[in-house]
């Protein structure tokens, strides 16, 4: 079935497995949304962009539409970036040819934290939080010391229920 005239591009599709709506020549060409086989699929420009399966797993695809590069594993409540083989709460898979060299504007790091403030003694941080109190048990803090380019890394821990929390080491 088509919406509008006999030359309309938006069409409905249905067979024993799939039902969908598409704009173009078929379910996987141009733009389409279809469901069946316990999943939903979304295509744009003839390439798979997103699919959701019956277990709640969600896959977002890279530019060619062939490989999931952002994957939510619903049963494990885990996220994969660059991988659909999730082994931790957050699994990141990246090929970086610049390991051991300083990162510059052309390098790609695994995780980048950026402090956009030009105010001295501002920072970004990674912390390990206490599951019962929302306070950090330990941290790695990246400090913008002078508001420009002088920086340091501070490491901190807590003892006795986070009552003695503080910096334990700093690298300037």
């Amino acid at each position: 079935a088509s919406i509008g005239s006999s030359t309309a591009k938006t069409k409905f599709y249905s067979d024993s497995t799939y039902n969908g709506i598409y704009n173009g020549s078929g379910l996987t060409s141009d733009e389409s949304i279809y469901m069946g086989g316990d999943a939903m699929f979304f295509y744009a420009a003839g390439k798979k962009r997103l699919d959701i399966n019956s277990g709640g797993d969600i896959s977002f695809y890279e530019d060619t539409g062939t490989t999931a590069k952002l994957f939510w594993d619903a049963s494990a409540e885990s996220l994969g970036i660059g991988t659909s083989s999730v082994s931790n709460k957050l699994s990141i898979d990246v090929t970086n040819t610049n390991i051991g060299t300083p990162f510059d504007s052309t390098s790609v790091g695994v995780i980048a934290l950026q402090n956009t403030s030009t105010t001295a003694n501002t920072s970004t941080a990674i912390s390990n939080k206490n599951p019962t109190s929302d306070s950090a048990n330990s941290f790695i803090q990246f400090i913008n010391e002078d508001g420009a380019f002088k920086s340091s890394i501070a490491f901190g821990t807590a003892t006795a229920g986070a009552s003695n929390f503080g910096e334990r080491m700093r690298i300037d």
Side-chain angles (χ1 to χ4, degrees):
S2 296
I3 297 174
S5 70
S6 60
T7 59
K9 290 180 70 177
T10 302
K11 300 176 179 91
F12 292 98
Y13 176 87
S14 183
D15 67 17
S16 61
T17 306
Y18 297 106
N19 293 299
I21 185 170
Y22 61 95
N23 182 25
S25 59
L27 279 183
T28 60
S29 65
D30 299 326
E31 294 79 33
S32 64
I33 301 170
Y34 67 99
M35 60 205 86
D38 293 328
M40 290 184 69
F41 306 91
F42 297 79
Y43 280 74
K47 295 180 172 83
K48 187 186 278 189
R49 298 300 179 204
L50 168 71
D51 68 43
I52 305 170
N53 72 19
S54 63
D57 294 348
I58 303 171
S59 298
F60 292 90
Y61 287 79
E62 41 66 70
D63 62 337
T64 67
T66 57
T67 307
K69 291 296 183 174
L70 181 65
F71 176 73
W72 172 252
D73 184 327
S75 64
E77 297 180 354
S78 300
L79 181 66
I81 300 175
T83 183
S84 58
S85 299
V86 180
S87 57
N88 297 294
K89 288 294 181 185
L90 175 62
S91 294
I92 300 173
D93 188 6
V94 64
T95 301
N96 189 337
T97 58
N98 295 315
I99 298 295
T101 61
F103 289 100
D104 58 28
S105 62
T106 62
S107 299
V108 178
V110 175
I111 298 174
L113 302 175
Q114 182 175 5
N115 179 356
T116 58
S117 174
T118 56
T119 304
N121 296 313
T122 58
S123 66
T124 58
I126 299 171
S127 66
N128 177 35
K129 289 192 165 192
N130 180 327
T132 59
S133 70
D134 199 36
S135 61
N137 290 344
S138 56
F139 69 84
I140 301 171
Q141 186 175 22
F142 306 94
I143 303 165
N144 177 354
E145 290 189 358
D146 65 357
F149 297 106
K150 184 178 183 231
S151 62
S152 61
I153 302 172
F155 299 83
T157 60
T159 58
S163 60
N164 296 321
F165 185 75
E167 184 177 308
R168 307 298 182 208
M169 178 175 73
R170 182 181 289 233
I171 301 171
D172 293 323

